[in-house]
Amino acid sequence: MNPTKAKLMLAVTDLLKEDGIAGLSARAIAARAEVNQALVFYHFGTVMDLVDQACRAATDEAAASYRDELAEVTSLSELLELGRGLHERERAAGNITVMAQLLAGAQRDKTLAETARYALGRWNDEVEAAVARALEGSPVESVVDAPGLSRAISSAFIGLLMYDGVDRPGAESAFASLEQLGALVEVIEDLGPAARLVLRARLKGRG
Amino acid sequence: MNPTKAKLMLAVTDLLKEDGIAGLSARAIAARAEVNQALVFYHFGTVMDLVDQACRAATDEAAASYRDELAEVTSLSELLELGRGLHERERAAGNITVMAQLLAGAQRDKTLAETARYALGRWNDEVEAAVARALEGSPVESVVDAPGLSRAISSAFIGLLMYDGVDRPGAESAFASLEQLGALVEVIEDLGPAARLVLRARLKGRG
DNA sequence: GTCTATAAGATGATAGAC
DNA sequence: GTCTATCATCTTATAGAC
């Protein structure tokens, strides 16, 4: 990989984390990378193509870095614990912030929408596998499916980190509540077989 | 209210819903409002002041329109049911999309961050009251608090609607999973007093 | 209050020297 | 591959006619 290309791609995600998609421009990116502005177009053709490649690469890297950790998850309790740590780290790392800004920009730009879909999918590949394992043998297995739950977790993280950007205490209390509801599910998970049957019967009677 | 001011303010939220914060400009807003570009500055001084006023007004109106509905909520089941309808309607109305774009833009602009904080707070005033009522007497009352849960619900909605923008089926399945987990909480809510005590005891043993 | 015209600067993108 | 210089076009914002 050409060092200038690498510098430009890194500058994109840095700026996305700090300033968001709104103020992103070829000149801002080049300045951040300490590189001549014309090189953006020499190496990537258009600004959007640079953003696309930078975000895909960053997503691949981020997903891979969480891969081993997610691979060890075998229960909802472990998933919940991992979520707590991930939330803290993501505040500093900003991978989810990049995704949130991608989603915000996707409304306008179709190229960006495609990039966002890729990032969402890539991220989900890792999360869904862990969720599926955590759900296995759990009494809530018959209630929720792994594809849906993993996407719910992802979107909740995205919403939470955006909320965090303007109201940190509020986001903190929101996350605490979600954790407590998660603990509730854990309690159910630890229920005896008799209680499980009662629960399953009651849930059957609903939507 | 001056009709030109009103047209400009409406144009802002329309554009925010359709194109997002990224492409927003005085000229685009004026064109959408079918009004001369210079009138943006005559009436509002700066573009950001126009965006600020437009979003605050739109938030007040949206929150008020949901107020009566939220006022009738007295249980988690009702809250869950309202959430399903709200999700459908918000996809068309776009009030939450406006908030998401506000949050995305807040990363860069401090004025926008203040606007986003206002919108989040205004929205929360309505939701938290309903959540507090729904939680009253519920067995989960000792587990989650209304301020935290209402903010969790808000941020989940924001994340879900952003997800929806690029992957509708994915967002749909995510929402379905959250609903099913909500149904689980409902089942717990309907538990007898003996089961409640067991649950409370088990939860005490945790964080 | 609304218009035209314009200033002063930022933007994406390209041509051509090195 | 990198630079300077430049393009047409876009941006916010203002001055002044009506």
Side-chain angles (χ1 to χ4, degrees):
Chain A
M1 165 82 77
N2 180 298
T4 300
K5 282 188 78 169
K7 269 194 275 186
L8 283 168
M9 288 169 73
L10 183 66
V12 166
T13 48
D14 280 352
L15 284 176
L16 239 31
K17 290 169 195 176
E18 287 170 29
D19 295 341
I21 194 90
L24 206 66
S25 75
R27 282 174 158 86
I29 297 165
R32 176 65 175 238
E34 292 179 308
V35 146
N36 190 284
Q37 174 256 153
L39 295 174
V40 167
F41 304 98
Y42 173 78
H43 285 291
F44 298 94
T46 70
V47 176
M48 274 309 165
D49 283 344
L50 162 55
V51 173
D52 175 70
Q53 288 186 46
C55 289
R56 282 176 196 256
T59 301
D60 287 344
E61 202 181 338
S65 84
Y66 283 120
R67 179 164 209 150
D68 292 345
E69 227 168 325
L70 281 161
E72 286 176 21
V73 169
T74 54
S75 70
L76 286 173
S77 331
E78 285 170 23
L79 188 63
L80 205 63
E81 199 183 341
L82 190 148
R84 150 65 69 193
L86 201 139
H87 180 238
E88 301 276 343
R89 263 178 296 157
E90 271 306 314
R91 191 135 58 186
N95 299 308
I96 295 180
T97 300
V98 169
M99 199 139 85
Q101 291 294 329
L102 229 41
L103 288 172
Q107 207 130 15
R108 182 156 205 261
D109 191 286
K110 296 203 170 186
T111 309
L112 227 51
E114 196 52 55
T115 314
R117 253 187 296 276
Y118 173 83
L120 237 33
R122 187 71 190 72
W123 193 257
N124 201 249
D125 288 344
E126 308 296 339
V127 178
E128 189 173 335
V131 170
R133 248 176 294 117
L135 240 40
E136 240 171 76
S138 163
V140 291
E141 193 183 6
S142 56
V143 182
V144 286
D145 55 322
L149 184 57
S150 62
R151 279 160 184 82
I153 290 170
S154 294
S155 63
F157 260 93
I158 291 165
L160 234 22
L161 260 124
M162 294 201 78
Y163 205 119
D164 197 281
V166 304
D167 177 14
R168 193 187 262 233
E172 203 65 60
S173 72
F175 192 80
S177 278
L178 288 179
E179 265 197 313
Q180 287 160 335
L181 285 178
L184 198 69
V185 176
E186 274 187 60
V187 165
I188 293 164
E189 204 177 23
D190 294 340
L191 247 40
R196 282 189 184 211
L197 281 173
V198 171
L199 209 66
R200 201 160 298 187
R202 292 225 191 198
L203 279 166
K204 280 267 165 61
R206 293 169 181 268
Chain B
M1 162 84 76
N2 180 297
T4 301
K5 282 188 78 169
K7 271 195 273 184
L8 283 168
M9 288 168 75
L10 183 66
V12 167
T13 47
D14 280 354
L15 284 176
L16 237 33
K17 290 168 195 176
E18 288 170 28
D19 295 340
I21 193 90
L24 206 67
S25 75
R27 278 176 156 84
I29 297 165
R32 176 65 177 238
E34 293 181 307
V35 145
N36 190 285
Q37 173 258 155
L39 294 174
V40 166
F41 305 97
Y42 173 76
H43 285 292
F44 298 94
T46 69
V47 176
M48 274 311 164
D49 282 345
L50 162 54
V51 173
D52 175 70
Q53 287 186 45
C55 289
R56 281 175 196 255
T59 301
D60 287 343
E61 202 181 338
S65 83
Y66 284 120
R67 178 161 211 153
D68 293 344
E69 229 169 322
L70 281 161
E72 287 176 20
V73 169
T74 55
S75 71
L76 286 173
S77 330
E78 285 169 22
L79 188 64
L80 205 63
E81 200 183 338
L82 191 148
R84 151 62 71 190
L86 202 139
H87 179 238
E88 301 276 342
R89 262 177 297 158
E90 271 307 315
R91 189 136 57 186
N95 299 308
I96 295 179
T97 301
V98 168
M99 198 139 85
Q101 290 295 329
L102 228 41
L103 287 172
Q107 208 128 15
R108 181 156 206 258
D109 190 288
K110 296 203 170 184
T111 309
L112 228 50
E114 196 51 56
T115 314
R117 253 187 296 276
Y118 173 83
L120 238 33
R122 188 71 190 72
W123 194 257
N124 203 250
D125 287 343
E126 309 296 339
V127 178
E128 189 173 335
V131 169
R133 248 176 293 118
L135 240 40
E136 238 171 79
S138 163
V140 292
E141 194 184 5
S142 57
V143 182
V144 286
D145 55 322
L149 184 57
S150 62
R151 279 160 184 83
I153 290 170
S154 295
S155 64
F157 261 92
I158 291 165
L160 234 23
L161 260 125
M162 294 201 76
Y163 205 118
D164 198 281
V166 304
D167 178 13
R168 195 188 261 235
E172 203 65 58
S173 72
F175 192 80
S177 278
L178 288 180
E179 265 198 314
Q180 287 159 335
L181 285 178
L184 198 71
V185 176
E186 273 187 61
V187 166
I188 293 163
E189 204 177 23
D190 293 341
L191 247 42
R196 282 189 183 212
L197 281 172
V198 172
L199 208 66
R200 201 160 298 187
R202 293 225 188 198
L203 279 165
K204 280 268 166 58
R206 292 168 181 271

